[in-house]
Amino acid sequence: MGKKRKLMKVYPIEENCVSCRYCEVACTMVHSKSKDPVKAYKLENLLPRATVEVKGAVSLSLMCRHCKHPFCFDSCISGAIQVDENGQVHLDEEKCVGCWNCVLVCPFGAAHPYVSEEKRHSFKCDLCGDRGFPACVEACPNRALVYDYER
Amino acid sequence: MKYVIVGNSAAAVGCITGIRKVDKESPITVISYESSCYSKPMIADVLIDIPQEKLIYRDEKFFEENKVELILGHRAVKVNTDSKVVVLDSNELVPYDKLLISTGAKPFIPPIPGADRKGVFTFTELSSALAFKDYIKKNGVEEVVVVGSGFIGLEVAYFLAKIGVKVTVVELLERALAKALDERSSQIVETLMKEEGVEFIFKDSVAEILGDEKVSSVKLGSGKVLKAGAVVIAVGVRPNTELAQTAGVKVNAGIETDGHMETSVKDIYAAGDCIECLDITDGKVKPLPLFPLAFEQGFVAGLNMAGKEMEYLGGLPLNSLKFLPVPVLNAGIVTPPDSSYEVFVNDRFEEKGFYRKAILKDGKLVGFVAVGQIDRVGILTNLIRQKIDVSPVKERLVELDFGLVDLPQWWREEKLKQDKTAYKDWRAV
Ligand SMILES: Cc1cc2nc3c(=O)[nH]c(=O)nc-3n(C[C@H](O)[C@H](O)[C@H](O)COP(=O)(O)OP(=O)(O)OC[C@H]3O[C@@H](n4cnc5c(N)ncnc54)[C@H](O)[C@@H]3O)c2cc1C
Ligand code: SF4
Ligand code: SF4
């Protein structure tokens, strides 16, 4: 049977979250072309891959869990979603055809739809693969997000 | 151990994935009469000239990496369970220790006189989609009649309208997608389709397909005659169980399987559109020909074939009208069958462009519809799957910002902190 996976992912700690949404801003910025938080929202119409949820006193930031059994992978009709040998779940936005199956089945609501005039595809947390370290974790002033080995 | 899979689509790829989680080495042979592993839900895109390579679901590299031997262009015609071999149409014998039957579904063709005329098509395989496209191009077809307003019929109609073909959908029931959608969302879909130029005729049927050698018009039950250069019959699919029957496997509405996806015959498993499966939302066993389910069933079959025991979670209707500009998603039961169900509606479609509806039974979510704004609705799908008591937050289920903060704290503890996201962790609580 498969050996233990060596995967690091982002863990939310709801006790520490004050819903400042710095993680959302950082996420949008690093995934933008301009690398500017305002331009990313306003001009590039980008949306964060981390979602801060708030209800009364509880809040937390949620992003793709890179599930051990990713339902998004089962459901993906284009082959855009793939799992690598470490268990990281990748979504190729170019290959995606925007069928929304992953949005329909992700138990965490972590695969999001993106619709614009020219494009439609889904998007989700990529663990900042290009950057080496998740920007949301860096941006969080309250240690409400930690980057840690899979449990 | 020698694994053989008949079929080369969603369920087959799920099965290969499942087997290779457990057994990295033993040979796997895949048999299919089609020449590639393409994405079946995407075949209607050929009408709008999608490049063929974009239709590929798994390329050669996938099969190489997973050490899969492909036998393509050949039909499996018989399974001999005594000698444990699959017989091909070339008379070649393919021995197996564990066999997966994932032969998919076949289009249902009602007995309409004239249905054998040239220009009458079904639309469930790449070859049929290409043949249809070729026919309308070569014959300069300007008018098409689509029989049936299911997902396939509507998708074909929508793309035809997009490329400027006049298309009429003829539907026996009183509205579009009557079996899959509730009245409101079906009305929204109809409006969107009409905006693209698709016409509908409801509560009528095609009584006869007229023409000489080629179809030229159709006559409806009401007596009305519609000009038609081609006809697409899309009134549903039925499990393709022919091969299973040669093995003496028990077949009802589809191939019967147990919780491990094993059929009534030892060492023969089945998955995908060819089987009947438990719908966890109404407890009935029925064909649920859907891509995500086919993959998942194949995956579970693969684990079990390779010796890792795993119980299938059960299926549920999961639909996305992927061709429409406005997303329309639904899962489970969308119209309450009786008054014991609770219904919550948040209809802001006219002002804000979204509609949400949730259906509950005994404090548990059994279905929903989401139109327009669909972000994060997978949370709802999982609530159906895990049968979590949502009575404390039931009014919130149709709000756009419904989220994990609305779920019990133990759920977040288990899923987020402890990473309980393996297949078995998604069982009903
Ligand atoms: C136009 C269209 C649109 C669709 N859109 C959606 C959608 O948006 N969402 C969704 O969830 N589902 C959709 N579906 C349904 C989805 O495609 C199926 O549920 C899914 O493909 C089922 O996978 P499967 O592996 O069970 O079988 P199939 O995909 O049907 O594949 C069957 C395989 O078996 C092979 N085969 C059959 N018999 C034999 C034999 N005797 N010998 C050798 N090979 C054999 C075939 O060549 C094929 O490779 C759509 C279907 C169609 C036709
Ligand atoms: S998108 Fe959702 S289902 Fe897919 S791996 Fe991430 S959390 Fe899991
Ligand atoms: S929306 Fe894109 S990534 Fe998601 S399942 Fe469909 S094709 Fe795959």
Side-chain angles (χ1 to χ4, degrees), chain A residues 11 14 53 77 99 104 120, chain B residues 39 320 322 376 381 419:
Chain A
Y11 290 87
E14 61 181 70
E53 297 186 8
I77 66 165
C99 78
L104 180 59
R120 69 183 247 178
Chain B
S39 172
S320 164
K322 59 190 184 298
R376 313 202 72 207
T381 302
D419 258 335

Side-chain angles (χ1 to χ4, degrees), chain B residues 97-294:
Chain B
D97 293 312
K98 303 270 179 190
L99 172 67
L100 179 81
I101 297 181
S102 63
T103 46
K106 288 195 300 196
F108 173 65
I109 304 175
I112 304 172
D116 52 351
R117 286 210 157 77
K118 278 219 178 91
V120 181
F121 293 87
T122 56
F123 212 95
T124 59
E125 279 186 7
L126 182 54
S127 60
S128 53
L130 290 169
F132 172 70
K133 186 191 167 196
D134 199 46
Y135 187 88
I136 58 170
K137 275 214 162 147
K138 280 208 175 112
N139 293 281
V141 171
E142 287 170 352
E143 283 148 324
V144 172
V145 167
V146 173
V147 191
S149 72
F151 288 99
I152 299 175
L154 289 193
E155 185 161 13
V156 172
Y158 188 83
F159 284 136
L160 284 174
K162 263 215 161 329
I163 57 170
V165 174
K166 183 177 180 305
V167 48
T168 309
V169 177
V170 179
E171 167 61 56
L172 191 59
L173 300 173
E174 73 289 355
R175 57 186 176 86
L177 279 166
K179 285 188 194 140
L181 292 183
D182 67 327
E183 258 183 71
R184 178 65 172 128
S185 53
S186 150
Q187 182 198 7
I188 294 172
V189 169
E190 194 185 316
T191 308
L192 292 168
M193 299 282 298
K194 283 181 173 162
E195 275 168 16
E196 199 57 51
V198 177
E199 287 179 29
F200 287 92
I201 296 179
F202 294 112
K203 291 199 270 191
D204 210 340
S205 60
V206 173
E208 195 176 351
I209 297 172
L210 307 169
D212 300 323
E213 189 202 356
K214 290 177 182 167
V215 48
S216 60
S217 63
V218 300
K219 194 173 161 201
L220 305 187
S222 60
K224 200 170 173 173
V225 175
L226 302 174
K227 258 186 89 179
V231 174
V232 176
I233 298 182
V235 292
V237 296
R238 300 281 181 275
N240 177 6
T241 60
E242 273 164 40
L243 183 69
Q245 274 160 343
T246 69
V249 161
K250 187 152 189 253
V251 174
N252 309 310
I255 300 170
E256 186 180 291
T257 57
D258 65 11
H260 295 144
M261 308 316 298
E262 194 167 14
T263 67
S264 63
V265 175
K266 198 174 169 312
D267 296 332
I268 302 183
Y269 295 72
D273 286 8
C274 59
I275 72 162
E276 53 174 20
C277 112
L278 173 72
D279 179 344
I280 56 164
T281 61
D282 64 8
K284 292 185 183 135
V285 175
K286 56 182 142 180
L288 282 171
L290 296 163
F291 192 95
L293 304 186

Side-chain angles (χ1 to χ4, degrees), chain A residues 6-23:
Chain A
K6 253 216 161 89
L7 177 64
M8 285 185 88
K9 42 193 185 185
V10 181
Y11 290 87
I13 302 171
E14 61 181 70
E15 297 77 8
N16 291 353
C17 178
V18 297
S19 62
C20 66
R21 298 182 185 266
Y22 282 16
C23 50

Side-chain angles (χ1 to χ4, degrees), chain A residues 72 75-78 80-81 91 96-103 122:
Chain A
C72 59
S75 76
C76 179
I77 66 165
S78 69
I81 297 180
L91 193 163
C96 169
V97 293
C99 78
W100 312 138
N101 267 358
C102 53
V103 178
S122 51

